[in-house]
Amino acid sequence: DCCGGSCFNLTSSEEHCGVCGTVCTAGQECCGGTCVALADFDDDNLNCGQCGRACATDTECCGGECVDLNSASDHCGACNAACMGDACCTGVCVTSLVDNDQHCAACNLNCTATGRECCTDTCVDLVNNDARCGACDGPNCAASGLSCCGSGCVDLQTSELHCGSCDTDCTPGETCCSGTCTTLGTNANCACGLSCTAGQQCCNSQCVALGTDTRCSSCGDDCTASGAVCCGGVCKRPAVDFCGACNQPACAAGQGCCNDACVALNTVQNCGACGVSCSGQQQCFDGVCGLPEAVTGCGFEPSTLRRAFVTFSGDTDMHGKALLQSFPCAEVLSVVGQPASLLTDCTAKFESKARLSLLLAATSALRPDHQLTVTSGTVHSAQFPDISVQPAQCTLSAPSGAGAAPQLTLSGPADANACSSFAVLATVSEESLLYLPGTYRWQVLNNAGTDLTSAATLSVSASSLQATVQAAALPGSSTGGTYRVRLTVTSALGQSASVEHPVALTSDAVLLVYASPPSVQLSTVAEARNIEVLAAATLVQCDSDMANPKGYTYAWTDITGDGNDLLASAVATAARLVLRPVPTDSPIPAGSQRQLQVTVTSTMDSALRGTLLVPVQVPFSPMQFSNVQTQFVVGSGAAFELTSQASLPDFPGLAQNLFDYQWSCKLKSGGSCAGVQLSAGLPAAQDRRRAPGTSAVTMTGMQAEQDYQLQVAVRATPMDGLLIEGTRSYEVQASALTLDQPISVEVTPTPWGYLAEGELPEELVVVDVSSSTVDTDNLLITLVNGQLVIECREQCETSAGGDVILVVVEQPDGTRATIAVTVNQAPPVQLVSTGSCNCPTQPVSSLEEVDIPCTPIEASDGAEVTVVFHIRSPQSGYVTNYLLNQDQYFFALPIGAVEVTRDVFTLDGILIAKDLYVCTIQTSIEEVAPDEVIDFLDRVQEDPFTTLNFVTSYLAWDSDQPKDPSAAEVAQYALDVLNSGQVDFTAPAVLSAISLVDGMRNDPEVSTNANLMSQGLDALEKAFAAVSLPGNGASIVGLDTASNPIQSVLESFPDDASMSGQVSAVALQMQAAILGQVRCGQQPITTARSRFGLAASLGRPQSLLSQNLTSGSANSSAFFQISAQAALTLSDR
């Protein structure tokens, strides 16, 4: 390049190194355009020693020279690192290359990599190296003719660890022979290099010959050890395993080898062994010389069958027993042809070695001529224990001195108590003992000879000579009598005798009588309460109850002794006695005590009888009071005066000074009468000696709208020692009205209500009713058109008069007053004759007109009556009313067995008789033709009541064939007419509409047709809407009964959500029909029955509405409005 007008090499110019003007300093040189210090040339790999000389990649610059650090001895591994040893190998100084396994004679010649070692300057395999065995300086095995195995020299021909080659290990039991593992001890390899020839045997590494006495069949088979000889390869004992020559067989059992010949050893010449001979009379028994013992005889001891004996020909071993030691006979004896049980109660013992004694129980059946056998193997000869006695059988001989029949006597008591026990003792004559034991049979007999023996009645002593009888357990012993105890004894040889002992038993049975209650306090006539007395009896014998399976009879009597009979008005049924109050006209004195007696007799034995007295206290008649009225309403500012005179019916004309009156006051709700004064006053002390109180009282200081209870307590002493007490309470209501005394209305009770006399202001409303003597929960009281109507929910109990009913009424201004309704005596209206009716005797068609003529019904005092007929339908079950009188014509009757009954009313509506049965009529429409059905339906407008009843019957008809027309067609026709508005809905027509819908509900075809059922509800709604309109004059008699059919109709719909609205509408219209006619005066309330039907009819729609209406629905307001009307119209408490 041109620098300062001259050309320079910028890579080497020291004045212009790299660029013009760059001057290298002293000690630097320009190398490649860069000033480099001269000292850097010693270790600069790019400029090593001089500029531009670069070292190769596998060398380094050291002191200006490029060297290999892996092999340079002066620079080994790093510059200037000089080695002191032989060489530098891979950058590491190696001291010596001799015997170096990693660098053997040269760097990196590694002997260990090939499993060798460096020996001086050569890699050598020292394993199995015959020249250097195991080490560089190891032995030279080859020089000794051996081989190197591991680190030692071995002989591969004999080494069992290196047999034939290194590490070839022979298994246990093998030997290395010529380099081969071999099993020795066999004939083929008896020893290394030794094999046995034919006829030899390898024994202890030697080949020897067999068949000798010491080696008979094998090396260790030594016959001499057992005294035997080798015979054909088998050790045999002379005279044991063979007799004679060794190839001969052994002798059979029971034989011996005598002089090389087999002979029997049970002979007298050879008894048990060769050459042993028996002497004299001896015989050989089982190899033993001796004389056998034998049974020589057996029999019973003299005069008894309880002791016997067996004798032997000589001494025995006594069955191993000690002398006189007892043991069971069956151990050694048996009876030929008899069961083993024959010796069960037999005990044996040896009195001597040659005599066996037998002791037999009394029950033993062992008898003369029985054969005894001594069981083989049980009794042996004493001299020869192995020899059993033989012969071993004998026949029992009879005892000497056997007598005739037994001579018996019995002793015991002649009489005994039936509850005790007694014993009878038997005595047997001396001569009779000779043939005992025998059998003893004790019996207990009654006079008739009946055997009464049982475990409960008789027990026998162990000796059989005494019997104890339990008298109480004997049947019939409770009544006494004579019984016989009998003993029958039969000897062992068959002779028998009987004897009896009589005992007379005295009875100890007692019949105890109880009564509950043990004494009786009769009720008064006013209480009218029956008292029941129950009697019971127990038969006791021997201080315990005795069974009486036949029962008892009971007789009740009045034993007071005054000629009167309290039982005349009682009812006695066996053990039960019902005592009624003593009638007022009874001659039995009031307050007297009667003595009744009940007599109980056992039907098992009339002699067993018991009695019990039952005291009965006859009460005095209760105290009576002059005033009947007990409820009063008075003005709060007025003074209320009351007189209450007491009397005792049992003491007529009793002076008033014998009555003590005590007046008191309290609030009806509880608490004291604050501010109230009683003019009669109360004495400070309850002293019987003070002057008696007065029967009149004046009450002042009462507070308005407060209820008080005024009470008078009266004590009377009609005679000395007799005190009779009574109380009467009065209810006094203080009214805000300024009335001095209550308003009074008199009524007459009837079975279904009360008839009122006179009228009251129409603006009054009933708000409360109460009475202390009448059940007001059974009353329904209303004010209709100024008429006070009091009715009974259930039939009223006809009162005798004198009851008071307090009716609280409210006036338009809110003030209240009380009407005191006094009940008079009810008129006795009764049926004299129910008349008779003639019913058809043959089945009739439902379409026919049925005539049932009846004779008139007559009532007492010539009272006129009204008759209402009922038809009970077997299908729907409800009653259809026919408002007819004496001549009855029925149309469109229900199908089946319809029952006709009658109710009888007075002209005032009082029910006299109910459900008088008339007859049962069988009806059917099975023969009706289709055109007849259509013709009948066309009459619906002119006679809807009869026509719709026919439709109901047609729907209920269970025909075997399909109906023509169908049930749905007939129902649709009737519904079309009902919903057309052309029907005049009088009450009978409404009833018919209800019957129609009820029949539709029961018909399987129609009831499932939702459209028809909906139309049916529409018809009901229209019917009730028409009846409820003012001015139509319809009567709803029949709809207002408590069992009206609308309830059963509506009950089938509440669970159907799709019809719930219609059901609610029908229920509302029903209420409107009932309430509207009552409040508008169009519905005459003539009978208590109809009025209570109204209340019941209102209850059912309200129940249905509460299920189907929800708050806010379209009908809710109407429901609550009609409910309010119901509360105002019918005050139902």
Side-chain angles (χ1 to χ4, degrees):
D1 286 338
C2 183
C3 296
S6 299
C7 291
F8 295 93
N9 187 354
L10 297 181
T11 60
S12 59
S13 176
E14 294 180 355
E15 290 87 6
H16 303 282
C17 187
V19 293
C20 291
T22 301
V23 180
C24 293
T25 62
Q28 290 184 333
E29 186 176 341
C30 183
C31 291
T34 302
C35 292
V36 178
L38 295 177
D40 293 336
F41 289 164
D42 291 338
D43 57 5
D44 189 350
N45 287 337
L46 297 178
N47 300 284
C48 186
Q50 63 182 9
C51 185
R53 190 173 70 178
C55 294
T57 57
D58 55 349
T59 61
E60 287 286 334
C61 182
C62 295
E65 295 292 336
C66 290
V67 296
D68 185 357
L69 298 181
N70 287 321
S71 59
S73 298
D74 295 334
H75 305 281
C76 187
C79 291
N80 300 322
C83 291
M84 300 302 291
D86 289 344
C88 178
C89 296
T90 318
V92 177
C93 290
V94 177
T95 303
S96 175
L97 297 178
V98 177
D99 295 333
N100 192 329
D101 291 337
Q102 284 76 30
H103 307 282
C104 186
C107 285
N108 297 325
L109 181 57
N110 192 347
C111 297
T112 58
T114 58
R116 298 178 294 172
E117 292 186 13
C118 182
C119 294
T120 309
D121 56 359
T122 304
C123 288
V124 180
D125 184 2
L126 298 179
V127 178
N128 301 333
N129 191 326
D130 292 342
R132 294 178 177 179
C133 187
C136 290
D137 56 352
N140 187 347
C141 297
S144 304
L146 302 176
S147 300
C148 180
C149 290
S151 60
C153 296
V154 296
D155 187 352
L156 297 180
Q157 297 299 311
T158 60
S159 175
E160 293 180 356
L161 297 177
H162 308 280
C163 187
S165 62
C166 290
D167 298 329
T168 299
D169 188 5
C170 294
T171 60
E174 291 183 329
T175 303
C176 185
C177 295
S178 301
T180 302
C181 291
T182 306
T183 301
L184 300 181
T186 64
N187 287 341
N189 297 287
C190 186
C192 285
L194 179 62
S195 298
C196 297
T197 61
Q200 291 182 323
Q201 179 71 31
C202 181
C203 295
N204 297 326
S205 301
Q206 294 181 355
C207 292
V208 297
L210 299 180
T212 64
D213 289 342
T214 57
R215 294 187 181 95
C216 185
S217 63
S218 61
C219 295
D221 189 10
D222 187 1
C223 297
T224 61
S226 60
V229 295
C230 185
C231 184
V234 178
C235 291
K236 291 184 179 181
R237 294 169 297 171
V240 175
D241 299 322
F242 64 92
C243 185
C246 72
N247 59 352
Q248 295 299 315
C251 295
Q255 292 182 333
C257 184
C258 301
N259 299 323
D260 293 333
C262 291
V263 297
L265 297 181
N266 61 350
T267 64
V268 294
Q269 292 82 14
N270 298 286
C271 186
C274 293
V276 177
S277 60
C278 298
S279 62
Q281 299 297 321
Q282 289 183 336
Q283 297 180 14
C284 184
F285 295 100
D286 295 332
V288 178
C289 292
L291 292 175
E293 307 298 342
V295 174
T296 57
C298 57
F300 288 97
E301 299 286 357
S303 304
T304 182
L305 291 178
R306 295 189 60 184
R307 294 182 61 84
F309 62 89
V310 178
T311 58
F312 302 93
S313 60
D315 290 347
T316 67
D317 65 352
M318 298 189 301
H319 185 50
K321 306 294 185 180
L323 198 64
L324 302 179
Q325 179 183 353
S326 298
F327 59 92
C329 296
E331 287 188 15
V332 297
L333 296 176
S334 62
V335 184
V336 178
Q338 299 296 326
S341 60
L342 200 64
L343 296 176
T344 299
D345 295 328
C346 175
T347 302
K349 63 181 177 180
F350 279 92
E351 295 181 343
S352 67
K353 292 184 178 181
R355 183 181 177 87
L356 179 65
S357 176
L358 309 180
L359 178 62
L360 304 173
T363 57
S364 175
L366 195 63
R367 295 292 181 266
D369 297 330
H370 281 160
Q371 289 184 329
L372 293 181
T373 298
V374 177
T375 306
S376 178
T378 60
V379 181
H380 305 85
S381 171
Q383 183 179 5
F384 306 104
D386 294 333
I387 301 177
S388 299
V389 295
Q390 53 179 300
Q393 186 171 300
C394 65
T395 300
L396 282 169
S397 61
S400 60
Q407 301 297 317
L408 308 175
T409 58
L410 294 181
S411 60
D415 53 61
N417 188 284
C419 294
S420 64
S421 61
F422 59 89
V424 177
L425 182 65
T427 302
V428 183
S429 63
E430 188 71 24
E431 57 272 16
S432 299
L433 294 175
L434 296 176
Y435 57 90
L436 298 180
T439 59
Y440 294 79
R441 184 187 180 195
W442 290 89
Q443 295 172 278
V444 181
L445 312 174
N446 60 14
N447 274 337
T450 304
D451 191 347
L452 306 178
T453 307
S454 68
T457 62
L458 183 69
S459 59
V460 180
S461 67
S463 65
S464 300
L465 296 178
Q466 178 173 312
T468 302
V469 180
Q470 301 295 331
L474 291 173
S477 63
S478 60
T479 58
T482 300
Y483 294 81
R484 292 175 292 157
V485 180
R486 174 187 294 174
L487 172 62
T488 302
V489 177
T490 303
S491 73
L493 300 180
Q495 299 93 341
S496 64
S498 296
V499 64
E500 292 183 353
H501 177 74
V503 178
L505 296 183
T506 57
S507 175
D508 192 36
V510 176
L511 193 143
L512 302 179
V513 183
Y514 310 90
S516 177
S519 61
V520 178
Q521 173 70 44
L522 289 183
S523 69
T524 63
V525 175
E527 291 173 332
R529 180 171 54 89
N530 294 338
I531 304 297
E532 182 177 277
V533 182
L534 291 177
T538 301
L539 191 59
V540 178
Q541 183 181 27
C542 308
D543 298 327
S544 61
D545 292 349
M546 178 181 175
N548 185 39
K550 295 185 178 181
Y552 305 95
T553 59
Y554 298 81
W556 298 86
T557 54
D558 186 342
I559 62 171
T560 307
D562 59 357
N564 298 316
D565 188 1
L566 182 63
L567 299 178
S569 60
V571 177
T573 306
R576 180 174 176 266
L577 175 66
V578 178
L579 295 173
R580 296 169 175 165
V582 177
T584 55
D585 56 352
S586 173
I588 296 177
S592 64
Q593 181 167 329
R594 314 296 298 175
Q595 293 292 334
L596 300 184
Q597 177 177 281
V598 57
T599 301
V600 183
T601 305
S602 171
T603 55
M604 181 178 67
D605 185 357
S606 59
L608 295 176
R609 179 177 300 173
T611 61
L612 179 70
L613 292 179
V614 180
V616 179
Q617 181 66 46
V618 179
F620 288 100
S621 300
M623 189 175 291
Q624 297 182 357
F625 293 84
S626 58
N627 49 338
V628 177
Q629 183 175 344
T630 59
Q631 295 173 310
F632 305 91
V633 178
V634 298
S636 57
F640 175 63
E641 295 182 359
L642 180 63
T643 298
S644 180
Q645 280 195 342
S647 61
L648 295 176
D650 296 327
F651 300 92
L654 188 64
Q656 277 295 305
N657 61 356
L658 296 178
F659 292 85
D660 184 8
Y661 297 83
Q662 301 293 316
W663 293 90
S664 62
C665 174
K666 66 178 181 179
L667 295 179
K668 186 178 180 181
S669 59
S672 60
C673 301
V676 176
Q677 294 82 38
L678 301 179
S679 63
L682 296 175
Q686 299 293 329
D687 190 348
R688 293 296 301 159
R689 293 171 296 180
R690 61 175 171 77
T694 178
S695 61
V697 69
T698 301
M699 187 176 182
T700 58
M702 294 175 287
Q703 298 181 8
E705 303 299 331
Q706 186 65 272
D707 294 334
Y708 298 93
Q709 188 177 70
L710 189 63
Q711 186 182 72
V712 59
V714 183
R715 307 174 70 183
T717 54
M719 62 178 61
D720 290 341
L722 177 62
L723 174 63
I724 300 177
E725 299 178 318
T727 60
R728 175 60 64 93
S729 296
Y730 306 92
E731 295 181 7
V732 181
Q733 180 182 9
S735 173
L737 299 177
T738 56
L739 300 176
D740 292 334
Q741 293 294 338
I743 306 171
S744 296
V745 175
E746 292 185 351
V747 298
T748 300
T750 67
W752 287 97
Y754 296 82
L755 294 179
E757 300 177 1
E759 295 185 353
L760 297 170
E762 295 186 7
E763 64 273 8
L764 296 180
V765 177
V766 176
V767 296
D768 192 16
V769 61
S770 61
S771 176
S772 60
T773 57
V774 178
D775 181 11
T776 56
D777 289 338
N778 189 37
L779 300 180
L780 176 64
I781 301 180
T782 55
L783 277 167
V784 180
N785 299 330
Q787 179 74 46
L788 181 65
V789 180
I790 305 177
E791 303 170 274
C792 296
R793 298 180 184 276
E794 299 177 358
Q795 182 166 335
C796 297
E797 294 183 2
T798 304
S799 173
D803 293 329
V804 176
I805 303 172
L806 297 182
V807 181
V808 180
V809 296
E810 188 176 279
Q811 302 181 94
D813 60 359
T815 59
R816 295 183 178 185
T818 300
I819 303 173
V821 180
T822 302
V823 181
N824 294 331
Q825 177 67 40
V829 179
Q830 299 177 349
L831 286 182
V832 176
S833 172
T834 60
S836 61
C837 300
N838 293 324
C839 291
T841 58
Q842 299 297 324
V844 299
S845 171
S846 178
L847 301 182
E848 295 180 8
E849 178 182 282
V850 181
D851 182 14
I852 306 179
C854 300
T855 58
I857 293 177
E858 298 179 5
S860 60
D861 299 330
E864 296 185 30
V865 296
T866 299
V867 181
V868 176
F869 278 75
H870 305 295
I871 300 295
R872 283 184 171 84
S873 168
Q875 285 79 21
S876 58
Y878 61 81
V879 176
T880 301
N881 296 333
Y882 287 80
L883 303 179
L884 306 171
N885 281 314
Q886 301 303 327
D887 295 327
Q888 282 69 46
Y889 300 93
F890 299 97
F891 302 92
L893 294 174
I895 302 171
V898 291
E899 184 182 73
V900 182
T901 61
R902 294 173 292 170
D903 287 352
V904 182
F905 297 86
T906 65
L907 293 182
D908 295 326
I910 306 305
L911 179 66
I912 299 176
K914 182 177 177 62
D915 288 338
L916 294 176
Y917 178 77
V918 176
C919 61
T920 300
I921 304 175
Q922 296 288 340
T923 63
S924 171
I925 60 172
E926 294 183 3
E927 303 301 327
V928 65
D931 55 346
E932 291 182 277
V933 177
I934 301 301
D935 292 342
F936 208 90
L937 292 175
D938 288 339
R939 298 172 52 190
V940 68
Q941 289 183 338
E942 62 184 74
D943 189 0
F945 174 71
T946 302
T947 305
L948 294 178
N949 277 349
F950 164 74
V951 174
T952 302
S953 299
Y954 190 82
L955 293 177
W957 173 31
D958 187 11
S959 175
D960 295 335
Q961 303 295 328
K963 297 179 182 179
D964 183 19
S966 67
E969 292 174 329
V970 172
Q972 186 65 67
Y973 184 92
L975 291 172
D976 290 342
V977 176
L978 286 176
N979 291 322
S980 66
Q982 302 175 8
V983 176
D984 181 14
F985 280 105
T986 60
V990 175
L991 278 175
S992 300
I994 295 172
S995 300
L996 170 64
V997 178
D998 194 28
M1000 293 168 59
R1001 178 174 62 89
N1002 292 320
D1003 185 85
E1005 176 186 0
V1006 179
S1007 62
T1008 57
N1009 191 323
N1011 181 37
L1012 287 177
M1013 297 306 296
S1014 179
Q1015 293 183 55
L1017 286 175
D1018 288 340
L1020 288 182
E1021 187 176 0
K1022 289 182 175 63
F1024 282 113
V1027 173
S1028 63
L1029 293 176
N1032 68 353
S1035 170
I1036 57 173
V1037 173
L1039 295 182
D1040 54 6
T1041 61
S1043 60
N1044 66 78
I1046 187 61
Q1047 297 186 28
S1048 61
V1049 174
L1050 296 182
E1051 282 175 351
S1052 63
F1053 294 104
D1055 293 335
D1056 190 342
S1058 64
M1059 297 183 179
S1060 60
Q1062 287 182 285
V1063 173
S1064 301
V1066 172
L1068 286 170
Q1069 289 298 343
M1070 181 180 177
Q1071 282 192 323
I1074 298 171
L1075 295 172
Q1077 290 200 355
V1078 172
R1079 291 183 61 79
C1080 295
Q1082 297 169 349
Q1083 170 60 47
I1085 304 179
T1086 58
T1087 67
R1089 189 162 178 243
S1090 67
R1091 287 188 287 273
F1092 271 97
L1094 296 179
S1097 298
L1098 286 173
R1100 177 58 189 160
Q1102 287 177 352
S1103 174
L1104 291 174
L1105 285 169
S1106 66
Q1107 299 177 36
N1108 292 282
L1109 291 179
T1110 58
S1111 179
S1113 64
N1115 290 324
S1116 295
S1117 59
F1119 162 60
F1120 291 113
Q1121 186 176 17
I1122 291 181
S1123 297
Q1125 293 175 358
L1128 292 175
T1129 306
L1130 299 175
S1131 299
D1132 184 0
R1133 293 185 68 249

